[in-house]
Amino acid sequence: MRKTSMTAALPLALLMVALAAGQEATLRGRIVDSRTQTPLAARLYVQSDDGTWYFAKSSSSEGAAVAYDKMRGESIERHTAVSAHPFQVDLPSGKYTLTVERGKEYLPEVREVEIGDKPVDVTIPLRRWISMSALGWYSGETHVHRQVSELPTAMSADDLNVALPLTYWVTQAFTPPTSGDKNSPPAKAELIHIDPTHVIYPMNTEYEIFTVDGKRHTLGAIFALGHKRVLDRGAPPIGPIARQVHDEGGLLELDKHAWPWSMMLVATAEVDLYELTNNHLWRTDFHFRHFNEQYAAPQMNVEIDENGMTERGWIDFTFNNYYTLLNCGFRLRPTAGTASGVHPVPLGFGRVYVYTGDDFSYEAWMKGLDAGRSFVTTGPLLDVRLNGRLPGETFMQPGESRDYKFTGLAYSERPLSKIEIVAEGRVLRTLEPANMPRESGGYESAVEATIPVGSSTWFCLRCWAPTAEGRPRFAHTAPWHVDVADRPLRARPEEIEYLIRRNQDELERHEGVLPKAALDEYRRAIEKYRQAAKAVE
């Protein structure tokens, strides 16, 4: 009897399915500027109809492709940063969604493609809807955990002008960064130029202390940015480290306000920067529902639902803790970080824009960051002045009342829901955004408001642009300060009590664990906050 092969025995329809299942073809693509047709670097997502993710590679010997694959709970970030060269990806037959994004100033593009048994070619144009550099603003991120070798491609793909990777990283108390347990390859205090407006400064350090003498005892994190030598002191105490960083022209950044030691650091280490958009805010789903939520004071009105702190609750907690410190006289300047490299979030998803005017340089950008000529964003963009001056300005005013006028524009890819002027931690005025469509895409809303001032205060301006799913995306300026003679800013008693209580609780927790020099830093912080309390009495 003649034998029949298994393939020959299959019905034709099933045979076609079986053959199709084994098919694979190459998707070849280019990403270009929609107006000039110039090739662009960008961030590329490739997902099949069954939910599987795929990563591209460069088709050019001169090109580069950096795959990024991170997951935390239900939060997933899987993309490829591709250089401004053709790319390709081998795919089984089926239907796919391609999503291409590039920073905050280009509109995202989504394409559906079907793969069969032949190569498929696509050209994906990205539309620049605004150029912030044409207005004098350049973007950066100060909380980066990517390898320096990845950054030229990743920064170009997200049009991020400045990156400060934390190449030295220590998690054990008293251990110097020279022996850091999470260090990247050694860095030099030398600027790396990708091109004239995209740079990397690699000499930066993170102290993120989780253990003391080998035992779990969390303190938290602080960053030293832009210093000149590898730091050779362990923490705590933090004071000697802070002095060295400042002596070398560097800046100290508060990572998250909700670390146990954060409110001590502000009062004792002369911290410069506050992450107003921090590494818990991601492009993908909000994850950290219970991160030290006990530190959220009742007066902060933090939103909590049946699953814990909401994303908007975390944002408000971050904002209100910042406002509390400003009210107590600590003039921290805002910054932004993602911890891309650790968390499921693209580089520069949260970023800080700094005004340098017509001439960009790393030195000018860092000087502007330190001066507070800045705004942070997870979506919208701002170009706003108070009495014609940039954020970060301090106005000296004699005793009589004066008017201060906000002018400028708020820009957004999607319509803004509201624009808010904040003074002393409270929304002083809400402006209805015009959301006028721009010819190049997106929307713009004029900002115009006059505020009378009779005593010392500070102002910030913030705006909100919800996503299609209703998730909060915001932009927030650095503060303007108004110092009125003989009429000082008064912190509220509940704010001072909150700061003192946080330090007292930590002092008690550390007794018998930390050395006297470290405990004394908490005592000094308590005394500083008590001095602020005397101004209220």
Side-chain angles (χ1 to χ4, degrees):
M1 185 170 78
R2 184 168 60 90
K3 293 183 179 180
T4 304
S5 71
M6 183 178 296
T7 301
L10 284 171
L12 181 60
L14 290 178
L15 177 61
M16 296 300 291
V17 170
L19 291 173
Q23 288 176 354
E24 188 174 270
T26 300
L27 172 70
R28 301 180 299 210
R30 297 168 60 245
I31 301 168
V32 300
D33 183 280
S34 63
R35 184 178 62 85
T36 66
Q37 299 302 301
T38 304
L40 288 176
R43 182 168 18 96
L44 172 66
Y45 299 81
V46 181
Q47 188 176 28
S48 69
D49 271 7
D50 68 6
T52 304
W53 296 92
Y54 295 84
F55 299 94
K57 58 185 178 181
S58 181
S59 303
S60 168
S61 60
E62 298 177 353
V66 176
Y68 192 77
D69 185 358
K70 298 290 181 182
M71 181 175 180
R72 182 69 70 94
E74 300 298 316
S75 301
I76 298 170
E77 181 65 35
R78 291 178 176 140
H79 69 257
T80 308
V82 294
S83 63
H85 300 84
F87 66 85
Q88 66 184 59
V89 53
D90 296 327
L91 299 171
S93 60
K95 295 181 179 180
Y96 294 84
T97 299
L98 310 182
T99 303
V100 183
E101 299 182 2
R102 177 179 164 85
K104 306 299 185 189
E105 301 175 32
Y106 285 79
L107 298 176
E109 185 71 19
V110 179
R111 289 288 183 89
E112 305 293 334
V113 299
E114 188 164 356
I115 302 296
D117 60 351
K118 293 182 175 60
V120 175
D121 293 285
V122 295
T123 296
I124 303 174
L126 290 186
R127 186 178 182 184
R128 179 186 276 280
W129 67 276
I130 191 170
S131 173
M132 293 302 290
S133 61
L135 301 174
W137 297 93
Y138 291 84
S139 63
E141 192 195 324
T142 56
H143 187 176
V144 177
H145 282 298
R146 305 292 289 268
Q147 294 296 314
V148 171
S149 60
E150 297 179 357
L151 283 175
T153 303
M155 289 173 66
S156 299
D158 265 294
D159 195 22
L160 189 74
N161 299 106
V162 180
L164 301 175
L166 295 158
T167 50
Y168 293 91
W169 186 6
V170 61
T171 66
Q172 301 160 349
F174 319 127
T175 301
T178 47
S179 305
D181 53 306
K182 289 195 173 185
N183 287 353
S184 298
K188 295 181 179 179
E190 297 175 358
L191 197 62
I192 301 170
H193 290 270
I194 302 171
D195 60 40
T197 58
H198 295 82
V199 298
I200 304 162
Y201 186 81
M203 182 66 78
N204 312 288
T205 301
E206 175 170 7
Y207 292 87
E208 188 177 26
I209 308 303
F210 290 115
T211 62
V212 176
D213 295 330
K215 297 179 181 178
R216 187 76 174 183
H217 190 85
T218 299
L219 302 182
I222 188 171
F223 307 152
L225 305 175
H227 51 90
K228 302 300 188 292
R229 296 176 295 158
V230 181
L231 301 177
D232 58 2
R233 291 183 173 92
I238 200 68
I241 297 167
R243 287 189 289 275
Q244 179 181 344
V245 171
H246 286 143
D247 286 347
E248 294 184 10
L251 300 174
L252 290 174
E253 176 178 328
L254 193 71
D255 168 29
K256 284 183 290 291
H257 58 289
W259 284 118
W261 71 349
S262 293
M263 296 305 100
M264 177 276 292
L265 294 173
V266 171
T268 61
E270 297 184 19
V271 172
D272 305 288
L273 306 173
Y274 181 106
E275 271 195 20
L276 203 55
T277 171
N278 52 49
N279 67 335
H280 286 190
L281 299 178
W282 302 340
R283 177 184 181 275
T284 185
D285 299 329
F286 181 64
H287 175 75
F288 287 103
R289 291 281 196 143
H290 300 287
F291 184 82
N292 290 341
E293 57 192 341
Q294 71 273 17
Y295 295 137
Q299 68 266 20
M300 294 179 180
N301 296 316
V302 170
E303 183 179 76
I304 296 176
D305 62 18
E306 64 276 8
N307 297 313
M309 194 181 301
T310 66
E311 186 173 30
R312 177 58 194 262
W314 173 254
I315 294 169
D316 285 339
F317 181 20
T318 304
F319 286 2
N320 283 297
N321 204 113
Y322 182 54
Y323 302 156
T324 293
L325 293 168
L326 290 176
N327 284 346
C328 289
F330 296 94
R331 296 190 174 184
L332 298 138
R333 287 77 73 197
T335 189
T338 62
S340 182
V342 174
H343 290 319
V345 59
L347 182 71
F349 169 75
R351 61 182 62 191
V352 56
Y353 276 86
V354 173
Y355 186 87
T356 67
D358 294 334
D359 298 318
F360 170 83
S361 69
Y362 167 75
E363 293 77 14
W365 193 89
M366 289 294 288
K367 185 177 179 180
L369 179 68
D370 187 28
R373 294 191 289 271
S374 60
F375 69 88
V376 303
T377 182
T378 58
L381 302 167
L382 294 167
D383 187 30
V384 180
R385 309 291 190 273
L386 182 65
N387 280 10
R389 303 295 184 87
L390 290 161
E393 182 76 17
T394 296
F395 297 93
M396 305 302 294
Q397 178 181 323
E400 67 272 11
S401 180
R402 286 187 177 180
D403 286 345
Y404 289 81
K405 186 175 183 179
F406 282 93
T407 55
L409 290 166
Y411 305 97
S412 56
E413 176 191 319
R414 296 179 54 81
L416 295 175
S417 59
K418 57 185 173 181
I419 302 169
E420 298 172 315
I421 296 172
V422 178
E424 299 172 40
R426 293 173 177 169
V427 176
L428 186 66
R429 191 170 300 181
T430 300
L431 309 179
E432 185 70 25
N435 288 317
M436 298 295 293
R438 293 167 50 83
E439 184 178 350
S440 56
Y443 302 85
E444 65 181 51
S445 299
V447 174
E448 187 168 336
T450 300
I451 309 292
V453 173
S455 60
S456 296
T457 189
W458 57 263
F459 296 109
C460 290
L461 186 135
R462 66 191 193 191
C463 63
W464 302 88
T467 66
E469 300 77 27
R471 296 183 61 195
R473 299 285 189 261
F474 66 87
H476 193 301
T477 68
W480 293 266
H481 296 275
V482 181
D483 290 343
V484 179
D486 301 320
R487 297 180 185 178
L489 175 66
R490 303 292 190 183
R492 301 179 187 99
E494 64 270 20
E495 294 174 321
I496 295 166
E497 195 246 329
Y498 166 76
L499 297 170
I500 290 175
R501 185 177 68 252
R502 279 191 61 174
N503 279 281
Q504 287 176 332
D505 290 346
E506 283 302 291
L507 182 58
E508 292 174 9
R509 187 171 74 93
H510 298 321
E511 289 284 0
V513 179
L514 298 183
K516 181 178 182 300
L519 296 177
D520 283 346
E521 293 189 322
Y522 289 88
R523 296 184 179 102
R524 287 195 292 274
I526 291 168
E527 183 56 30
K528 279 197 174 184
Y529 292 129
R530 282 178 175 156
Q531 291 299 319
K534 291 180 180 179
V536 178
E537 294 172 354

